[in-house]
Amino acid sequence: EADIYQTPRYLVIGTGKKITLECSQTMGHDKMYWYQQDPGMELHLIHYSYGVNSTEKGDLSSESTVSRIRTEHFPLTLESARPSHTSQYLCASSEYEGQYGYTFGSGTRLTVV
Amino acid sequence: GQSLEQPSEVTAVEGAIVQINCTYQTSGFYGLSWYQQHDGGAPTFLSYNGLDGLEETGRFSSFLSRSDSYGYLLLQELQMKDSASYFCVGPSFNKFYFGSGTKLNVKP
């Protein structure tokens, strides 16, 4: 049973479209994260949140935005998609630093044509 | 800055033992975690070392030496299903930094 859900699983859209990638978790975790990962490459942190109404940019520059209005929900929005946004986007949550690690969602594989 | 270095690829045969090393240059890391990721899948948490020394979980063991900024993941009795990418991860100030990843190929 998955505790963190991402939708859609796959998405192909045209350049210039606005899209929102959904992420929800049922574990009550305060900390949530968005990572971007190209095939066979490392994960790059693009956004994170410590709790409701708290959002921060990560280490990788991104043209996306996030919001955290509810503890369980952390959507990521691209206002105008470009082919360079083609990648896998992974959402994760955690409770305690380190010891229990992240729980990841299944990811959204985005292709912008 | 934060950086964690791993070998890019390792190949071993079924039943063997393999060690994946991770060296890091960073400040503020208070432990080291390891994640497994199969092709097309999401990373899954394997282990965490909050203290120096060895942690054992079944066929997998992980080691940390904070004085040497070094850790490793040891996989014993390799199985074909262990073919995956393995990432060391350093937690620091509410964020997690991922290593470059090691692709493990297990051959029959």
Side-chain angles (χ1 to χ4, degrees):
Chain A
E1 67 290 335
D3 294 315
I4 183 164
Y5 306 90
Q6 287 187 247
T7 57
R9 184 73 177 90
Y10 300 95
L11 180 62
V12 180
I13 61 167
T15 299
K17 298 291 186 184
K18 175 180 179 179
I19 57 166
T20 296
L21 308 184
E22 300 290 346
C23 177
S24 295
Q25 50 101 358
T26 59
M27 297 170 284
H29 289 170
D30 286 329
K31 300 176 180 64
M32 295 188 74
Y33 311 82
W34 277 102
Y35 281 88
Q36 185 175 343
Q37 184 184 31
D38 293 326
M41 304 298 286
E42 62 201 277
L43 283 77
H44 294 285
L45 180 67
I46 51 175
H47 294 283
Y48 60 99
S49 167
Y50 297 152
V52 171
N53 295 324
S54 153
T55 61
E56 301 285 344
K57 286 187 179 296
D59 302 307
L60 180 69
S61 175
S62 173
E63 293 158 342
S64 58
T65 59
V66 291
S67 63
R68 190 86 184 277
I69 298 172
R70 302 197 315 266
T71 298
E72 62 271 21
H73 195 214
F74 190 42
L76 180 143
T77 298
L78 278 167
E79 291 293 333
S80 180
R82 294 208 302 266
S84 60
H85 296 139
T86 296
S87 188
Q88 172 160 254
Y89 293 84
L90 290 159
C91 180
S93 70
S94 69
E95 185 174 11
Y96 301 113
E97 290 84 359
Q99 185 171 0
Y100 299 104
Y102 283 142
T103 301
F104 278 90
S106 300
T108 294
R109 197 170 293 275
L110 174 66
T111 302
V112 184
V113 297
Chain B
Q2 321 283 25
S3 71
L4 299 97
E5 298 296 325
Q6 305 176 231
S8 59
E9 194 163 351
V10 172
T11 299
V13 297
E14 219 173 352
I17 299 172
V18 72
Q19 179 174 311
I20 299 173
N21 298 321
C22 174
T23 57
Y24 57 90
Q25 295 163 7
T26 186
S27 61
F29 277 11
Y30 45 81
L32 198 69
S33 301
W34 289 90
Y35 287 75
Q36 178 191 61
Q37 185 180 30
H38 288 98
D39 282 347
T44 56
F45 176 74
L46 289 178
S47 68
Y48 171 69
N49 292 74
L51 300 173
D52 288 356
L54 192 68
E55 294 283 339
E56 297 179 71
T57 309
R59 295 188 296 116
F60 294 178
S61 303
S62 57
F63 172 82
L64 175 64
S65 168
R66 284 174 294 181
S67 60
D68 295 323
S69 297
Y70 165 75
Y72 65 73
L73 179 70
L74 190 75
L75 298 88
Q76 302 181 72
E77 301 172 19
L78 281 175
Q79 301 175 8
M80 297 299 292
K81 66 178 182 179
D82 296 330
S83 291
S85 292
Y86 292 84
F87 294 89
C88 58
V89 179
S92 174
F93 305 116
N94 285 323
K95 291 195 289 185
F96 293 75
Y97 294 89
F98 279 74
S100 48
T102 299
K103 185 172 177 59
L104 172 63
N105 302 302
V106 180
K107 297 192 177 301

